[in-house]
Amino acid sequence: MASTFSFDIVSDFDRQELVNAVDQVIRDIKGRYDLKDTETTVELVEESINVSTDSEFTLDSVHTILREKAAKRNLSQKIFDFGKVESASGNRVRQEIKLKKGISQEIAKQISKLIRDEFKKVQASIQGDAVRVSAKSKDDLQVVMQRLKQEDYPAALQFTNYR
């Protein structure tokens, strides 16, 4: 039996679920009466979603649809980083929505500081864009997970590699 137990705190999302959500958004736009003639395009590229439409009003509608479809597919709203709205040719607007993946260094430091301050029997170490948490007791690790779920970090946190 292992002498210490651990888990990783990561910030990630299911790419296939995001692809499905974007496909549903595109289908909704084609089917909705108020968006049908706007020639709105939603394109999923490697690390962002590009939206082009005829006005900021329809852009807000696309945001709402995207958030709804993502929520139904258990994707966190925190993965979306809405960029600024730019004007494009032909009185159109476009926006790049960046997809956040990984825990930034400052958030990782906040998490490890919280663990150090509140849990004396638990160690936290920053490993790239993840935080490894280890302890001698599985119960301590579960208490840490519950405590971290109560915090509201600007990144979507998942717990992986629980051993």
Side-chain angles (χ1 to χ4, degrees), residues 112-127:
S112 62
K113 182 178 181 343
L114 179 121
I115 292 171
R116 268 196 321 272
D117 292 347
E118 294 188 18
F119 304 99
K120 301 301 179 199
K121 296 180 181 178
V122 180
Q123 296 82 36
S125 62
I126 300 171
Q127 298 181 337

Side-chain angles (χ1 to χ4, degrees), residues 59-78:
L59 186 62
D60 287 340
S61 297
V62 172
H63 287 177
T64 304
I65 296 169
L66 179 63
R67 288 180 183 274
E68 284 176 8
K69 300 303 180 187
K72 285 183 181 176
R73 298 197 156 270
N74 294 326
L75 293 170
S76 173
Q77 302 296 311
K78 295 178 182 180

Side-chain angles (χ1 to χ4, degrees), residues 6-161:
S6 67
F7 68 90
D8 293 338
I9 304 170
V10 297
S11 179
D12 203 357
F13 57 87
D14 187 351
R15 178 85 179 168
Q16 187 58 50
E17 289 295 335
L18 183 66
V19 169
N20 293 342
V22 170
D23 286 345
Q24 285 183 328
V25 168
I26 293 168
R27 262 189 256 124
D28 259 25
I29 290 170
K30 289 178 182 174
R32 274 183 49 168
Y33 180 74
D34 58 339
L35 298 175
K36 198 180 279 188
D37 297 327
T38 60
E39 297 180 18
T40 301
T41 61
V42 179
E43 180 185 17
L44 176 64
V45 290
E46 201 59 36
E47 294 184 12
S48 66
I49 299 171
N50 296 324
V51 180
S52 173
T53 187
D54 66 349
S55 69
E56 287 194 39
F57 177 75
T58 55
L59 186 62
D60 287 340
S61 297
V62 172
H63 287 177
T64 304
I65 296 169
L66 179 63
R67 288 180 183 274
E68 284 176 8
K69 300 303 180 187
K72 285 183 181 176
R73 298 197 156 270
N74 294 326
L75 293 170
S76 173
Q77 302 296 311
K78 295 178 182 180
I79 66 170
F80 301 119
D81 183 15
F82 294 93
K84 70 176 197 172
V85 178
E86 304 168 352
S87 58
S89 61
N91 291 335
R92 297 179 61 77
V93 293
R94 72 172 162 238
Q95 182 178 39
E96 181 181 30
I97 304 168
K98 288 189 171 42
L99 302 171
K100 292 194 253 178
K101 212 174 194 183
I103 298 176
S104 69
Q105 285 295 317
E106 59 195 45
I107 296 173
K109 287 177 184 175
Q110 290 174 5
I111 291 171
S112 62
K113 182 178 181 343
L114 179 121
I115 292 171
R116 268 196 321 272
D117 292 347
E118 294 188 18
F119 304 99
K120 301 301 179 199
K121 296 180 181 178
V122 180
Q123 296 82 36
S125 62
I126 300 171
Q127 298 181 337
D129 59 356
V131 178
R132 167 86 32 101
V133 181
S134 57
K136 292 198 183 293
S137 166
K138 284 185 177 181
D139 294 337
D140 291 341
L141 293 181
Q142 289 177 342
V143 171
V144 170
M145 283 184 198
Q146 292 303 316
R147 177 65 178 96
L148 289 173
K149 286 179 183 175
Q150 295 171 358
E151 290 293 311
D152 187 30
Y153 291 105
L157 300 181
Q158 292 89 30
F159 306 112
T160 61
N161 292 340

